[in-house]
Amino acid sequence: MSEPNGVMMQFFHWYNAADGSLWSELKTKAADLANVGITAVWLPPAYKGLAGGYDVGYGVYDMYDLGEFDQKGSIRTKYGTKDEYISAIKVAQTVGIHVYADVVLNHKMGADAEEEAQARPMNPDNRHQPIGDTQTVKVWTHFTFPGRQGKYSDLEWHWWHFDAVDYNAYNGDQQAVYLFKDKKFDSNVDLEKGVYDYLMGCDLDMEHPEVQDALKAWGKWFVETTQVNGFRFDAVKHVKADFFPEWLNHCRQHSQKRLFAVGEYWSDEIEALHHFVKVTGGDVMLFDAPLHYNFTVASTKGCDFDLRQIFDDTLVKEQPALAVTLVENHDSQPLQALESVVESWFKPLAYALILLRRDGYPCIFCADYYGAHYKDKGRDGNEYEIWLDSHQWLIDKFLGARRTYAYGDQYDYFDHANCVGWTRLGTDEHPGGMAVILSNGDQGCKWMEMGHPHQTYRDVTEHISESITTNAEGWAEFACKAGSVSVWVPQTD
């Protein structure tokens, strides 16, 4: 984390316009974000993907092409050019914002030529189960990067750099994961589908020395070229977990920088996250996917959800020092692959729960902050128009309270199914304290200790206009409206 009470923003969503403007937009908005309390931004993958200027970044084609070469139908990526990317990073860092780059070390897509190889088809739903004999397959696995012509790296990728693919031109209709001869799926991956090493495209063989060396060489080049402050690792449950600290330490040694790291282990199984943490020695933080799912359930159940259970089986409760807390992201937003929407009414409550408590490193989703509007097809094949509300005004209020008052001891009052609260007592450097109370049912009130006698507090959300003053022992009854949150800070005027 960049500083005490740091806050990360995911500065993109799946449906950002494919007009090459995102890097320039960061330059424009960086100072405002720093002023409200954002201390780091997570940017999308910056290298050329399968769909060129339209690729969100996860269809990895050429990691050395940051929007510099004419490949896949464009020079720029969806977000801009290499020069714009590096310039945006510098501008953000100048105003005190750390920049985290999104990195996909799992797969490559969009090969330049086909190759023949020997492979065995495996059941996509149980990768331990063969569904045919070893056979000759024709696969898109030869990456030559003709637009780059060997600049930065002359390595060409071939089938032997990969474990598996999911398409064989000799039998295009078969649904299978083709495991190359003499290859095996990696261990220390998620156990869904038997062994969840293979996700999509050409799955990198992390046991292959050339692959390991190539990824490390790229990491060194990337950090030197961009001067980023850290990484968000995509799809870590599909990559052997012990490779991440090895790769990260290589980059740290060459850059002489600490380099923050957070992984996306998208699972609601808390034990799977604990296992990853154990294997990586706590070197990589994780997004708290179980907390996101709790928010989703809470938002759909309304007053039938017991708020005392909101942190049950979450990373922030069980390993708080390694939890990056979030409400939504680009995969969970409406019409996306992992759609699991947190309803708009609950988002202020959810953001209060991640921004105003002691534990966790919170991440704000830009579509929750700025709002979003887009159209796409759903799983049923029909097109839908989506409007996501902007919660910027309220999130800014939370950020201000976090930066000024969210310090010191935390007293929890999770003693009612529909109304919970907590207080932060403050410190000598950050005095005054703060009380937070929220309800998913009727209006609520809670007798809570602030530790500051005869201190008057106001609700920064402006949901309640009357002030509250603590008694001689520093206690007061704090209130919130139905289905709402109130944040009480010292009245200074």
Side-chain angles (χ1 to χ4, degrees):
M1 203 179 306
S2 56
E3 60 181 60
N5 284 8
V7 180
M8 183 196 317
M9 174 181 277
Q10 178 179 356
F11 194 73
F12 69 101
H13 63 91
W14 195 268
Y15 297 98
N16 282 104
D19 58 6
S21 67
L22 190 70
W23 305 148
S24 299
E25 185 182 330
L26 176 59
K27 290 173 70 172
T28 303
K29 293 180 175 176
D32 288 341
L33 292 176
N35 286 338
V36 296
I38 301 298
T39 58
V41 290
W42 151 29
L43 299 182
Y47 35 75
K48 194 67 59 70
L50 165 72
Y54 297 95
D55 203 293
V56 176
Y58 299 100
V60 187
Y61 170 64
D62 185 358
M63 297 178 82
Y64 282 102
D65 183 358
L66 304 180
E68 183 180 2
F69 305 100
D70 190 352
Q71 300 189 115
K72 297 300 176 186
S74 72
I75 293 176
R76 68 163 175 83
T77 67
K78 179 178 180 178
Y79 310 110
T81 65
K82 176 186 178 182
D83 288 344
E84 289 167 340
Y85 180 57
I86 292 170
S87 176
I89 292 169
K90 285 179 180 174
V91 168
Q93 291 170 337
T94 299
V95 297
I97 293 178
H98 284 190
V99 177
Y100 306 147
D102 204 320
V103 176
V104 185
L105 301 179
N106 179 71
H107 57 267
K108 296 181 82 68
M109 303 178 84
D112 301 297
E114 294 172 296
E115 298 179 307
E116 280 194 344
Q118 297 291 304
R120 190 172 197 183
M122 312 297 284
N123 184 344
D125 296 316
N126 178 5
R127 279 77 181 283
H128 294 304
Q129 180 186 21
I131 52 175
D133 296 327
T134 299
Q135 56 197 257
T136 301
V137 295
K138 193 172 189 180
V139 289
W140 286 92
T141 48
H142 190 191
F143 292 79
T144 62
F145 314 116
R148 184 158 53 79
Q149 296 186 332
K151 188 175 182 180
Y152 307 128
S153 169
D154 59 5
L155 177 68
E156 294 187 5
W157 293 70
H158 295 276
W159 68 264
W160 55 84
H161 294 123
F162 307 108
D163 285 329
V165 295
D166 64 359
Y167 180 76
N168 167 23
Y170 289 147
N171 189 0
D173 294 331
Q174 183 171 23
Q175 298 296 308
V177 173
Y178 290 90
L179 182 65
F180 290 124
K181 186 180 178 183
D182 299 326
K183 300 278 189 176
K184 65 181 189 299
F185 290 119
D186 287 336
S187 57
N188 278 331
V189 297
D190 195 79
L191 299 181
E192 189 180 341
K193 301 181 188 295
V195 53
Y196 215 175
D197 177 13
Y198 183 83
L199 175 63
M200 62 176 72
C202 302
D203 186 73
L204 269 59
D205 179 1
M206 291 302 193
E207 302 288 349
H208 199 296
E210 277 190 14
V211 173
Q212 295 179 4
D213 291 347
L215 292 177
K216 288 176 182 175
W218 174 81
K220 176 177 178 289
W221 171 86
F222 182 79
V223 175
E224 288 174 353
T225 301
T226 65
Q227 295 298 308
V228 294
N229 304 99
F231 298 100
R232 179 263 188 189
F233 294 127
D234 182 63
V236 300
K237 74 179 187 180
H238 307 285
V239 180
K240 68 171 194 162
D242 41 323
F243 181 73
F244 291 103
E246 183 182 330
W247 184 88
L248 197 55
N249 288 329
H250 174 83
C251 293
R252 285 170 175 163
Q253 287 168 8
H254 282 281
S255 66
Q256 295 297 298
K257 294 165 76 171
R258 171 62 191 152
L259 295 175
F260 169 84
V262 57
E264 179 227 11
Y265 198 116
W266 204 254
S267 172
D268 59 0
E269 298 289 338
I270 190 65
E271 290 306 321
L273 274 63
H274 288 323
H275 179 73
F276 180 89
V277 166
K278 182 178 179 181
V279 172
T280 56
D283 211 20
V284 179
M285 295 183 77
L286 288 177
F287 288 105
D288 197 344
L291 178 64
H292 158 77
Y293 282 114
N294 284 1
F295 289 158
T296 298
V297 173
S299 77
T300 53
K301 282 191 171 183
C303 63
D304 291 330
F305 183 87
D306 188 338
L307 286 174
R308 293 170 295 187
Q309 299 173 0
I310 197 73
F311 292 113
D312 284 3
D313 299 317
T314 63
L315 199 62
V316 73
K317 181 179 180 180
E318 299 186 13
Q319 299 211 53
L322 294 174
V324 173
T325 51
L326 78 166
V327 178
E328 292 268 24
N329 72 7
H330 62 290
D331 286 323
S332 70
Q333 72 182 100
L335 306 182
Q336 266 312 291
L338 299 171
E339 179 178 329
S340 46
V341 175
V342 178
E343 299 291 342
S344 185
W345 76 271
F346 192 79
K347 282 184 177 175
L349 284 68
Y351 275 105
L353 286 161
I354 70 170
L355 287 171
L356 300 176
R357 292 178 60 76
R358 180 184 57 214
D359 295 327
Y361 181 8
C363 180
I364 296 169
F365 183 40
C366 73
D368 288 339
Y369 190 74
Y370 296 114
H373 173 224
Y374 56 89
K375 295 179 182 178
D376 199 1
K377 288 184 177 177
R379 294 173 192 171
D380 57 7
N382 296 320
E383 185 171 81
Y384 293 90
E385 185 171 14
I386 303 295
W387 297 85
L388 297 180
D389 297 331
S390 166
H391 299 274
Q392 180 174 351
W393 188 86
L394 209 48
I395 289 173
D396 282 349
K397 294 293 184 184
F398 294 165
L399 288 170
R402 176 180 176 85
R403 184 159 57 178
T404 308
Y405 299 110
Y407 298 89
D409 291 344
Q410 176 175 291
Y411 293 171
D412 283 344
Y413 299 85
F414 281 56
D415 51 6
H416 189 282
N418 300 119
C419 183
V420 299
W422 64 92
T423 59
R424 301 293 299 275
L425 301 195
T427 62
D428 290 341
E429 295 81 10
H430 300 276
M434 174 182 68
V436 184
I437 179 169
L438 53 91
S439 167
N440 65 357
D442 297 334
Q443 63 183 28
C445 57
K446 205 166 285 288
W447 189 248
M448 299 194 291
E449 181 181 3
M450 290 300 304
H452 304 283
H454 307 300
Q455 171 73 56
T456 301
Y457 291 85
R458 64 182 179 88
D459 178 11
V460 299
T461 71
E462 300 180 14
H463 293 147
I464 297 176
S465 55
E466 301 83 8
S467 59
I468 292 173
T469 303
T470 56
N471 65 13
E473 283 75 45
W475 289 71
E477 187 174 72
F478 294 95
C480 67
K481 292 193 171 180
S484 180
V485 56
S486 285
V487 179
W488 298 89
V489 302
Q491 188 163 304
T492 53
D493 47 288

